[in-house]
Amino acid sequence: MAQLTAVLASTHHPFYYKATTSPPEERPPFAAEWQRKVEAYRETLTAAAPDVLVMVGADHFHQFFLDNYPQFLIGRAERYDATFYNEQREFGLPTYVLDGEVELSRYLHEGLLERDFDFAFSHELKLDHSIICPIITVRPEADLPVVPVYTNIFAPPMPSPKRFWQVGRAIREIIDAWPSDLRVAAIGTGHLSLELGGPRQFGEHGPDPEFDRQAIEWLRDGNIDAILANVTHESMAGAGNATHGFMDLVLMMGIAGDGVRADYVDELDLFHTREMYMTWYPNGAPA
Amino acid sequence: MSTYYVDKFLYTIDRDPKWVQRYKDDPAGTVAAWEEEVGRWLNAVEETTVQSFTDSERAALAAHDYVWLFEHGAHFFLNLTLFIALYDEDYTREQGPLSFQREFGRKLSHWLGREYPSVGL
């Protein structure tokens, strides 16, 4: 059977690339600390020596729009282009072509359908920064095949936090059952409290530091009961209008397990939003 | 209200550098041109006949009025991203990085502590 060697859940910040690759005199004052933390986080994936990456993110109105918006979608393609024109324009992100791990895409998709998770699917999927940001931060070589999974954290009405958790649990079950010798890592990004296009955006800190503190604690402890008792679409909107990306972190916690404490937790208070970096080793920490 | 159509405008302008430039240079003319060349098309062949702007929506888009758009349910991400494309470079040059984003937030400060207009359709 395949081995799930690591589960990574983090925020994604599209400004990271430019902040750490600009000429030194143009970098923001926090760039060096940010880079140190990201490179330390990268080690948690490198140590797990994965062969294939299941990557969870959310299309930010790049390929998908309100004429046809999937709640959950899996890529089944052999290759994926990445980074849209408007992400290059706004964030200076580079383009990529990533290989797809088609066998796992099919196995995961069919396993989800068998478990009554009726995922949409795509054979021509261009990946956006929700998946490219973690490639840049934790696997900049961009050398591993991927299985992209997209969720709706953007366009109401959205699935419930509970459904994100259930999807994560199902993905875990299917990866564990995949008849393959490959080592799989699951990497997902989302948000803590975040405001975009509203009055609390681009402040000195994230819009709701108390939510962030609590959210990191819940995720670290694998405390799904507390999350489901406290987190609703309305409460997330109260923490910042784009906070629903937290549900992707709940999905990743679902892959890690119920009540399973994270093996690695780090964070960084930045302007606009708090960064969080979390890793679980479901089959034991790498030697 | 036809918030869907407003979002379609923001989405299709933002993803195409030619339309971004046109909308920056000639907002009102671009709204009219977009309705003819993009808005009423589902794809290159199929026409969509059931969408249109209200006069208020057309006027807000022609005025780059992102405050009005926020207040009438335009999607926050589309509304932010497109106006960053139009204004960020000029503001950064004149007032420093993120100055446009912070002004955008300040202009919406009367919404602090209140439930925002829904972006659900």
Side-chain angles (χ1 to χ4, degrees):
Chain A
M1 292 301 137
Q3 196 185 1
L4 181 65
T5 58
V7 178
L8 277 72
S10 77
T11 47
H12 68 247
H13 203 315
F15 290 165
Y16 174 79
Y17 180 79
K18 199 187 270 186
T20 55
T21 58
S22 302
E25 65 277 11
E26 291 174 21
R27 294 182 193 182
F30 47 82
E33 185 187 9
W34 198 2
Q35 187 167 1
R36 273 196 303 277
K37 283 184 178 275
V38 162
E39 289 178 358
Y41 186 49
R42 184 182 304 158
E43 283 305 309
T44 71
L45 178 69
T46 308
D51 301 310
V52 51
L53 306 176
V54 173
M55 303 205 65
V56 176
D59 180 82
H60 297 61
F61 290 128
H62 287 121
Q63 180 158 337
F64 298 108
F65 182 61
L66 301 168
D67 58 336
N68 188 0
Y69 203 94
Q71 299 289 13
F72 294 102
L73 176 142
I74 185 166
R76 294 177 57 123
E78 291 181 2
R79 305 188 87 192
Y80 301 94
D81 284 301
T83 308
F84 288 75
Y85 141 72
N86 45 14
E87 298 174 295
Q88 297 174 48
R89 178 192 75 208
E90 187 172 349
F91 309 124
L93 294 176
T95 60
Y96 293 86
V97 180
L98 301 181
D99 285 334
E101 173 52 62
V102 177
E103 187 188 319
L104 180 55
S105 277
R106 291 175 179 164
Y107 189 80
L108 188 52
H109 188 200
E110 283 150 28
L112 286 160
L113 292 168
E114 282 165 13
R115 289 163 179 78
D116 299 325
F117 295 92
D118 302 326
F119 268 51
F121 59 95
S122 175
H123 289 273
E124 187 178 11
L125 186 62
K126 187 161 186 171
L127 305 177
D128 87 349
H129 71 264
S130 64
I131 286 178
I132 286 312
C133 286
I135 288 290
I136 289 167
T137 52
V138 297
R139 194 72 185 189
E141 304 89 339
D143 57 346
L144 296 178
V146 300
V147 174
V149 171
Y150 268 158
T151 67
N152 175 16
I153 50 101
F154 242 51
M158 293 172 252
S160 66
K162 182 180 178 185
R163 193 60 170 167
F164 279 75
W165 164 257
Q166 292 170 335
V167 168
R169 294 307 299 147
I171 289 174
R172 170 61 182 274
E173 198 175 291
I174 299 162
I175 291 172
D176 282 346
W178 185 35
S180 166
D181 295 333
L182 295 180
R183 297 164 63 86
V184 181
I187 300 171
T189 68
H191 307 294
L192 296 170
S193 70
L194 180 64
E195 178 102 339
L196 296 171
R200 292 173 287 178
Q201 67 178 2
F202 292 95
E204 292 304 309
H205 308 279
D208 192 339
E210 177 52 27
F211 173 85
D212 296 345
R213 187 194 64 73
Q214 188 72 76
I216 291 172
E217 200 174 297
W218 289 329
L219 293 166
R220 179 200 67 200
D221 295 341
N223 192 347
I224 187 58
D225 293 338
I227 289 174
L228 297 184
N230 288 284
V231 177
T232 62
H233 291 153
E234 292 71 29
S235 75
M236 285 185 282
N241 65 353
T243 304
H244 303 84
F246 175 66
M247 294 190 291
D248 277 336
L249 305 180
V250 175
L251 189 160
M252 299 314 296
M253 195 181 92
I255 298 177
D258 191 349
V260 178
R261 198 176 165 89
D263 294 283
Y264 182 94
V265 182
D266 198 8
E267 57 186 280
L268 176 64
D269 185 27
L270 281 184
F271 75 100
H272 190 45
T273 182
R274 180 177 289 269
E275 286 271 88
M276 182 207 83
Y277 314 107
M278 202 169 287
T279 299
W280 292 262
Y281 293 119
N283 289 291
Chain B
M1 279 300 295
S2 35
T3 313
Y4 170 80
Y5 208 48
V6 170
D7 283 341
K8 181 175 178 179
F9 178 88
L10 300 172
Y11 170 68
T12 53
I13 297 286
D14 184 60
R15 68 179 179 175
D16 184 332
K18 294 189 296 296
W19 280 101
V20 170
Q21 192 62 48
R22 285 174 75 173
Y23 188 44
K24 182 172 182 172
D25 295 342
D26 175 18
T30 301
V31 173
W34 179 90
E35 288 183 83
E36 195 56 36
E37 296 173 41
V38 178
R40 69 189 185 90
W41 297 98
L42 189 61
N43 59 37
V45 172
E46 299 298 334
E47 194 165 0
T48 178
T49 64
V50 293
Q51 304 286 346
S52 62
F53 291 130
T54 64
D55 290 344
S56 304
E57 289 164 346
R58 195 176 283 113
L61 291 171
H64 286 182
D65 189 349
Y66 55 80
V67 173
W68 190 96
L69 295 170
F70 174 90
E71 294 182 336
H72 291 80
H75 197 284
F76 55 82
F77 185 84
L78 297 167
N79 196 36
L80 175 63
T81 301
L82 177 56
F83 287 102
I84 284 177
L86 300 181
Y87 289 106
D88 178 55
E89 201 176 316
D90 295 341
Y91 271 64
T92 296
R93 193 167 49 245
E94 289 159 21
Q95 301 174 45
L98 301 175
S99 53
F100 173 70
Q101 289 85 334
R102 288 184 170 131
E103 180 177 296
F104 189 124
R106 276 196 305 277
K107 286 186 174 176
L108 291 168
S109 59
H110 52 290
W111 285 95
L112 284 169
R114 298 163 62 192
E115 187 177 343
Y116 301 168
S118 173
V119 299
L121 301 179

